Amino acid sequence: MRKPCCDKEGTNKGAWSKQEDQKLIDYIHLHGEGCWRSLPKAAGLHRCGKSCRLRWINYLRPDIKRGNFAPDEEDLIIKLHALLGNRWSLIAGRLPGRTDNEVKNYWNSHIRRKLINMGIDPNNHKLYQTSPLLPHAASSSSHHHHLNLDLTIAFPAHYSSSPTFTLAEEDDNNNNDNPKPTSENMDESNPTLLLFQ
DNA sequence: AACCCTCGCAACCGCCAGTAC
DNA sequence: GGTACTGGCGGTTGCGAGGGT
């Protein structure tokens, strides 16, 4: 049988040093990604393979876009989250240069709070029935999420500033863990999902 | 100046599906 | 066919920075 990916004894943990980063970068430039189990030893790193993978994927990869999220990126995250839920890797896959960890962190630290302040429940993207912040939200919510009859856009009316897009092409190619909504499985409160059939 | 609190982010942990043995 | 390992994912934690008192 194979050996475990790493023995926890004798491995560094916590923040990466510049030297460790450089060793990892140099090794991957020479040998490419993959085989994370054997990489630490081969690269001279006292790290778990998993830790190396994470460091590379989330921080060292040359194609990573760093810095603030643009408004359209934020918009897209909100929309994708409304469709996919907390499937950060899928969401990040649609934002070039962004990692799932970054998207997840940005959601939890910025967007989530922003939606709450707008009176929107970040879990289901519906307006709160009763909001301490927006006392009038209860009356307006019944209009918003039950009467979204705009079939050209797949999101609730409170996301109206956003551009339209479709997931259809990827679903056709590979994606069976994101089954297309059907009249059987769709949420009746969200009629717009029918667009993806 | 010192202390406390909050926030953002990097990194870890545990779980799971796929797959090698 | 069963077991163990790998790679990937989402949830969570912990630390450092910055702001407030």
Side-chain angles (χ1 to χ4, degrees):
Chain A
M1 290 297 175
R2 298 176 184 170
K3 295 174 186 168
C5 101
C6 58
D7 58 351
K8 301 277 178 185
E9 306 292 324
T11 55
N12 291 345
K13 291 177 79 170
W16 281 63
S17 68
K18 285 218 180 336
Q19 289 83 358
E20 287 179 309
D21 280 347
Q22 199 53 56
K23 280 184 183 179
L24 183 56
I25 291 167
D26 290 346
Y27 183 86
I28 290 178
H29 280 166
L30 277 176
H31 301 95
E33 289 183 44
C35 208
W36 297 107
R37 187 182 78 86
S38 58
L39 184 148
K41 193 176 177 184
L45 288 161
H46 300 291
R47 290 276 180 177
C48 170
K50 253 182 162 177
S51 179
C52 295
R53 177 185 159 272
L54 212 63
R55 183 65 178 170
W56 175 255
I57 300 277
N58 287 333
Y59 201 82
L60 297 176
R61 248 175 34 200
D63 57 330
I64 285 181
K65 189 197 289 182
R66 310 207 66 83
N68 294 340
F69 281 74
D72 60 328
E73 286 182 304
E74 184 176 315
D75 224 31
L76 190 54
I77 292 171
I78 294 170
K79 288 176 166 182
L80 289 169
H81 187 273
L83 279 175
L84 302 168
N86 295 356
R87 296 161 85 176
W88 305 114
S89 63
L90 282 176
I91 295 172
R94 297 186 171 276
L95 291 156
R98 302 295 188 183
T99 69
D100 53 353
N101 209 32
E102 199 176 9
V103 171
K104 178 172 58 182
N105 282 334
Y106 190 69
W107 172 271
N108 286 325
S109 57
H110 292 86
I111 301 179
R112 210 168 165 277
R113 196 175 313 140
K114 193 171 168 181
L115 291 183
I116 290 169
N117 286 339
M118 290 166 66
I120 297 169
D121 184 344
N123 297 316
N124 58 21
H125 295 259
K126 292 176 183 173
L127 289 161
Y128 284 117
Q129 291 301 308
T130 54
S131 166
L133 298 169
L134 296 175
H136 57 281
S139 57
S140 60
S141 67
S142 58
H143 296 294
H144 277 81
H145 73 272
H146 289 311
L147 295 179
N148 179 8
L149 300 178
D150 178 2
L151 296 180
T152 64
I153 198 163
F155 299 92
H158 42 280
Y159 298 142
S160 60
S161 66
S162 312
T164 57
F165 68 98
T166 174
L167 296 176
E169 74 282 9
E170 179 168 313
D171 288 344
D172 286 339
N173 291 340
N174 52 6
N175 213 327
N176 289 331
D177 60 346
N178 293 315
K180 296 173 191 175
T182 66
S183 55
E184 285 80 28
N185 66 15
M186 70 176 280
D187 175 359
E188 287 184 11
S189 68
N190 193 356
T192 55
L193 286 178
L194 272 177
L195 284 172
F196 298 101
Q197 280 187 321

